[in-house]
Amino acid sequence: MSSIKEVAKRAGVSTATVSRFFNTPEQLRESTQEKVKQAIEQTGYSVNALARNFRRGKTNLIIVVLPALGVPYFASVMRGIESVAKAKGYSIMIKDTQFNTVPFNQVSDMFFSRQADGIILLGSISPYQDVVSRNGHTNSLPPLVVSCENASPDLAGLPSVRIDGIKAAFDATNYLISLGHRKIAFISGSLSQAVSGEREAGYSKAMKQAKLAIHEDLITDGHLTIEDGRRITRRLLNQPSRPTALLCANDEMALGAMHEIKLAGLSVPGDISVIGFDDIRYAEISDPPLTTIAQPGEEIGEKSMYKLCNIIDGQAIDNKTDVVEHQLIIRSSTAPAVL
Amino acid sequence: MSSIKEVAKRAGVSTATVSRFFNTPEQLRESTQEKVKQAIEQTGYSVNALARNFRRGKTNLIIVVLPALGVPYFASVMRGIESVAKAKGYSIMIKDTQFNTVPFNQVSDMFFSRQADGIILLGSISPYQDVVSRNGHTNSLPPLVVSCENASPDLAGLPSVRIDGIKAAFDATNYLISLGHRKIAFISGSLSQAVSGEREAGYSKAMKQAKLAIHEDLITDGHLTIEDGRRITRRLLNQPSRPTALLCANDEMALGAMHEIKLAGLSVPGDISVIGFDDIRYAEISDPPLTTIAQPGEEIGEKSMYKLCNIIDGQAIDNKTDVVEHQLIIRSSTAPAVL
DNA sequence: CTGTTAGCGCCTTCAG
DNA sequence: CTGAAGGCGCTAACAG
């Protein structure tokens, strides 16, 4: 592969001029530009990004860490990230943590070894080691933004973009209560994940405010998956006193829950109302269509990427949390309780 | 950030020795290793991957191109790619083509500018320009593997891993025929995409073999999305002579189709049987559970990545197509035709 | 086993 | 507006 030297020689100019052709063409006389252009075409030259990045000390790559690929909700956030990244000249690297099995320092090391310029966390990653004082040194934190509300407590205080998870779960629970439900179960992922913790807090708040007993079998352990939604629901249905409504920590769990309820010969929402979280595209066409809390995924992605760019560019870092609006989408999986 | 020089000075060795510490530690006396190790800890040094990559001429990055993020089927392929990539020391960059709007040369340029070592194509990308003779030069093709069967014709002849799409659609169609269906519609994505073309070929083959008329409204245009599955189904239902079975080009379209059928007051499979493609995780819990052709996504991903590594390593390039097995998963969205 | 040395390809002063 | 020259941090011969 040809290098800048060859092009320079062929065009009868210096390598500096060829470099200028790519970076500050306006500085070159038009006739020079033409010469260089032809030499480039003749040689089929492409700038060696490796050398350029090395020289500039920048990769134009960011890492997005997420619990799992193929989750529709994360895909919408990714779309937002991507559109801004493209505009700003960044490419995206993906790290799938397989539901949180990758330690954070493995990711931050990619920053410290200059493989990426910044990091966006979609969902928690743990253990989140204190990279501020990495190896006992005062290395600076990598440019980092936490997206979505599922951040573990040690990630608090970092720049982030998310909905108000507590308020969202509170709203969802209140809607169920307003329909006359009293026995409301909360199907959560592992409570050790902050997303579930937050949503649980909102649920509890609403229940307490309405002076309702919090269902004892609330505490569940699992991932935010269809499979775990089904497993937990089966257990719930086998209890002597069955709930009349289910608040699920995400739509996948809700879809799994509805499936099990129907399998047990019960009806949604006739016997049990179900409400989810995220408004993934399958929610609208499920049977019955799922009532859920929608999150503005693309907006979250866009804002996160803007924030990250600001940090990378060394602008004023705001460690604030940008709160974006959630919305209760009422469909047909919820109905008044039959008493 | 400290460099190898600082570490060397502090440890009282040469930079080469520090380099060896990371790359061929077995060549160093243990006492030397210890000295270097301490110096590294003291300085908080990390290898500058930018410089290393530059020097080695390798990024250990591969690009995966896919039509859309958040498609469960692609996610399973990605998992396979990822597991092999991790074992081989590669990280993954993602290019989402938003259903095929990114020109291929934009991706191949990333290889020619040394930003990535190789490319995996999940699904077609077009226009696929002949990168072999890029700019009229005999640049070699970037290391490239085509995964999944949805490759456009100009990608034929490249190394690839896929199911036999024609056979798969043939099998699915035959199953419907064996159930007594005569009026079978094929809901495809845009036929300009090869995936649809292949599946259409298998469908036609089965229909012809059974001497059945090919439904005239077969030709459809759209993406492999829920939305387009719904749109096409609505149109189909409004026809005077409605089909009794639907073969859909993927599960998302099938899920959309079932929703519209039920919305129209008809039953699946009572009035219309539906069969999909891919066996995504939502297929099992749809109502009714969806009969579909399963593809071994992870296996496809793994094999693709292995193939790509071989090409990158300069081993014998096999331009052959690895065919992996598909499987008809019979659930409840298909039933004998009522005549 | 370890040190010396010479670049990799590019960009960026500094001169002119 | 353009050329000359140095060096980014690392690794890979080549010596010893």
Side-chain angles (χ1 to χ4, degrees), chain B residues 19-317:
Chain B
S19 176
R20 286 186 191 106
F21 177 84
F22 288 104
N23 300 303
T24 52
E26 66 281 5
Q27 283 184 14
L28 298 183
R29 199 182 297 160
E30 226 169 276
S31 62
T32 312
Q33 285 189 40
E34 193 50 41
K35 278 192 294 182
V36 175
K37 199 174 148 197
Q38 284 185 15
I40 289 167
E41 275 166 11
Q42 285 168 28
T43 54
Y45 169 78
S46 279
V47 177
N48 183 333
L50 239 37
R52 169 184 280 177
N53 291 343
F54 167 53
R55 179 60 230 253
R56 304 224 248 234
K58 195 159 186 289
T59 56
N60 287 311
L61 239 47
I62 64 144
I63 306 173
V64 175
V65 181
L66 36 67
L69 245 32
V71 175
Y73 169 63
F74 288 130
S76 72
V77 179
M78 288 290 308
R79 252 197 310 285
I81 294 175
E82 219 170 23
S83 72
V84 176
K86 182 181 262 186
K88 299 271 193 179
Y90 285 95
S91 291
I92 295 172
M93 272 173 67
I94 292 242
K95 283 287 159 194
D96 176 354
T97 67
Q98 317 273 14
F99 288 104
N100 223 2
T101 55
V102 173
F104 181 72
N105 60 357
Q106 198 172 313
V107 176
S108 64
D109 274 351
M110 297 193 71
F111 167 75
F112 288 114
S113 68
R114 327 295 203 283
Q115 283 175 85
D117 296 338
I119 302 169
I120 292 181
L121 256 35
L122 302 190
S124 304
I125 186 167
S126 66
Y128 171 73
Q129 299 188 344
D130 193 1
V131 285
V132 182
S133 55
R134 190 160 159 278
N135 294 331
H137 279 268
T138 52
N139 274 330
S140 55
L141 197 67
L144 180 67
V145 172
V146 181
S147 276
C148 315
E149 87 287 28
N150 29 352
S152 50
D154 36 355
L155 257 47
L158 295 176
S160 64
V161 181
R162 62 179 76 175
I163 61 165
D164 181 342
I166 297 181
K167 177 79 164 40
F170 179 78
D171 290 352
T173 311
N174 269 343
Y175 174 62
L176 291 173
I177 293 172
S178 77
L179 289 174
H181 291 282
R182 296 290 167 262
K183 245 176 260 162
I184 303 170
F186 173 59
I187 297 196
S188 114
S190 162
L191 284 179
S192 65
Q193 282 188 283
V195 56
S196 304
E198 270 198 352
R199 292 178 182 177
E200 191 275 332
Y203 160 81
S204 294
K205 189 175 156 195
M207 294 295 275
K208 274 179 197 148
Q209 189 174 294
K211 302 208 174 12
L212 293 175
I214 290 178
H215 195 281
E216 59 203 7
D217 249 310
L218 158 74
I219 311 302
T220 56
D221 201 7
H223 297 313
L224 298 168
T225 60
I226 291 173
E227 202 34 68
D228 283 355
R230 295 180 64 169
R231 191 171 49 79
I232 294 166
T233 302
R234 276 198 298 270
R235 204 176 59 204
L236 236 37
L237 293 180
N238 283 332
Q239 284 173 18
S241 151
R242 193 202 314 136
T244 67
L246 257 43
L247 172 65
C248 300
N250 77 350
D251 285 350
E252 304 232 349
M253 294 192 108
L255 258 20
M258 289 207 293
H259 187 68
E260 287 294 332
I261 293 168
K262 290 186 283 184
L263 232 45
L266 299 170
S267 128
V268 180
D271 295 299
I272 302 182
S273 285
V274 176
I275 190 163
F277 245 97
D278 293 345
D279 193 26
I280 64 177
R281 62 184 181 283
Y282 302 95
E284 187 184 352
I285 60 160
S286 69
D287 195 351
L290 184 66
T291 296
T292 187
I293 298 277
Q295 301 196 46
E298 285 205 47
E299 185 187 348
I300 290 176
E302 287 168 10
K303 288 197 169 163
S304 298
M305 189 62 201
Y306 276 125
K307 243 179 151 69
L308 184 64
C309 288
N310 286 344
I311 298 172
I312 292 173
D313 295 344
Q315 291 177 26
I317 306 175

Side-chain angles (χ1 to χ4, degrees), chain A residues 177-195:
Chain A
I177 293 171
S178 77
L179 288 174
H181 292 282
R182 295 290 167 263
K183 245 177 259 164
I184 303 171
F186 173 59
I187 297 197
S188 113
S190 160
L191 283 179
S192 64
Q193 282 188 285
V195 57

